[in-house]
Amino acid sequence: MNMDDLILISVDDHVIEPPDMFEGFIPAKYADRAPRLVSDEVSDKWVFGEGEARSSGLNAVAGRPPEEYGLEPTRLAEIRRGCYDVHERVKDMSANGVLASLNFPSMARFCGQFFASRADQDADLALAVLTAYNDWHIEAWCGAYPDRFIPCSIPPLWDPELMAKEIHRTAAKGSHAVSFSMNPYALGFPSLHSDHWDPFWAACEETETVVCVHIGSGAIGVVTAPDAPMNVEITCAAIKTFPTAADLVWSPIFQKFRNLKVALSEGGIGWIPYFLERADYAYQQHRAWTRPELGGRLPSEIFREHVVTCFIVDDFGVANLDRMNEDMVTWECDYPHSDSTWPRSPEVVIDAVAGLTDLQVDKITHRNAMQVYSFDPFSIRPRERCTVGALRREAAGHDISIVSRGPVEHRLTTVGQFAHAHEPGRTA
């Protein structure tokens, strides 16, 4: 396949929320209490009651030289406009040959923890803010270019019945993805093994909404020592999804909800063949005394049927695609974070898929994402205008040059500092 003929849909990118996002979406009686973006001597920060999300642009380093990467920047003025301006984002996507993108929140945290932190004090306010966020995301951000964005809502974590209602409400608006925690127990909620979340799972199944669990959404980490360098954290990033995958296949979720799908966002795929082998061995070797109830299926069968995976760069995983369900493997760009391949994603992808058939390439680059997330950009934009070549021609002249912004203050360089940046009250 020629690189310019690729069609790329990224299932994991990130939006940095603009300061005016709540205007026109929050009810008037709550407007003066909605989160607001303010600046101090250190950074921009979102303030919501007594809580604050300190980092407005955690790791939004697209367009910087690699030597200036960090877990910063912390001000909108320090990042590309494409991070928070939807019109500039689309230009950045086109210049990268990317047709469409699913965007996870930043300020709200991956599954709305920032808003949930206010539910004990004022549940009505927390819900109003959360629904306003979802409406902004679906109508203003994704709605501005419905052929370019896959909507993804966030749930009111504090009440499973409210979560179910919000899933039905947002699905009616066209959203078939929701961001949830990879380990809700670590956030102070019941685990994935309880029946607490059943109303939520049921609503997702009924509306064909994919539950997206992003790394960093549930305090699962690999921290060997506080002074370990950041390369330890970065190297172990994908392995954080291993425990979540184990929770999922051994939980009762997929026995009760046989059509539910869960996506391991930013989880990579190279570890999956071993995981499936190990899970099946655990079943066969230990089931006499652990007595799992899997409805007659092997753990590997459950995983292949229900779990959607994605990768940025994962040559080993792609080479072992036959060990997975190739209909559930997707691709991601991770714009604007430091792991992203922007603005050279097509060049990276075409090398990675060199050993695959054209059908397999189409599946993992866009067809699987379209199927899983009930997303059809071709109904809006002709297919011939969706290719890498066509999009890059549309974006001709758009500036994607690397720009130095000078030394980064308050640079985070160790795992301990990284963990501190993810404490409650800070954005993930």
Side-chain angles (χ1 to χ4, degrees), residues 109-233:
R109 304 190 73 176
F110 285 125
C111 43
Q113 302 99 301
F114 188 41
F115 304 150
S117 67
R118 293 286 292 158
D120 287 344
Q121 292 79 34
D122 194 331
D124 291 340
L125 172 63
L127 184 61
V129 168
L130 183 138
T131 55
Y133 187 103
N134 284 338
D135 288 345
W136 165 80
H137 177 79
I138 296 169
E139 298 174 27
W141 187 262
C142 298
Y145 299 90
D147 55 334
R148 308 300 298 272
F149 292 102
I150 300 172
C152 181
S153 67
I154 53 177
L157 284 173
W158 59 93
D159 187 329
E161 295 293 343
L162 286 178
M163 293 171 72
K165 290 180 180 179
E166 185 64 2
I167 289 298
H168 282 286
R169 191 185 76 87
T170 53
K173 288 175 170 283
S175 176
H176 292 280
V178 61
S179 187
F180 185 61
S181 175
M182 65 192 301
N183 181 20
Y185 180 79
L187 301 180
F189 296 102
S191 79
L192 295 175
H193 302 278
S194 76
D195 61 4
H196 176 82
W197 307 104
D198 283 4
F200 171 61
W201 305 134
C204 291
E205 183 180 50
E206 291 164 10
T207 59
E208 297 184 344
T209 297
V210 181
V211 180
C212 303
V213 293
H214 197 287
I215 59 170
S217 63
I220 294 176
V222 182
V223 179
T224 56
D227 58 345
M230 276 305 303
N231 277 336
V232 173
E233 173 71 26

Side-chain angles (χ1 to χ4, degrees), residues 7 49 67 73 111 117 139 141 157 205 207 242 273 277 295 302 325 328 338 349 372 388 406 421 426:
I7 295 176
E67 59 269 19
C111 43
S117 67
E139 298 174 27
W141 187 262
L157 284 173
E205 183 180 50
T207 59
F242 199 106
E277 177 185 313
I302 293 172
N325 180 353
M328 299 281 270
S338 58
V349 171
V372 167
V388 167
R426 296 177 182 270

Side-chain angles (χ1 to χ4, degrees), residues 63-146:
R64 288 186 173 216
E67 59 269 19
E68 294 181 13
Y69 283 7
L71 291 176
E72 303 80 0
T74 58
R75 298 184 188 276
L76 292 184
E78 298 171 345
I79 62 180
R80 283 187 68 86
R81 284 190 61 188
C83 298
Y84 58 89
D85 181 320
V86 68
H87 309 297
E88 291 297 311
R89 169 63 66 91
V90 167
K91 293 176 185 177
D92 279 356
M93 289 164 58
S94 294
N96 192 31
V98 172
L99 169 64
S101 169
L102 186 154
N103 290 180
F104 285 95
S106 295
M107 168 268 285
R109 304 190 73 176
F110 285 125
C111 43
Q113 302 99 301
F114 188 41
F115 304 150
S117 67
R118 293 286 292 158
D120 287 344
Q121 292 79 34
D122 194 331
D124 291 340
L125 172 63
L127 184 61
V129 168
L130 183 138
T131 55
Y133 187 103
N134 284 338
D135 288 345
W136 165 80
H137 177 79
I138 296 169
E139 298 174 27
W141 187 262
C142 298
Y145 299 90

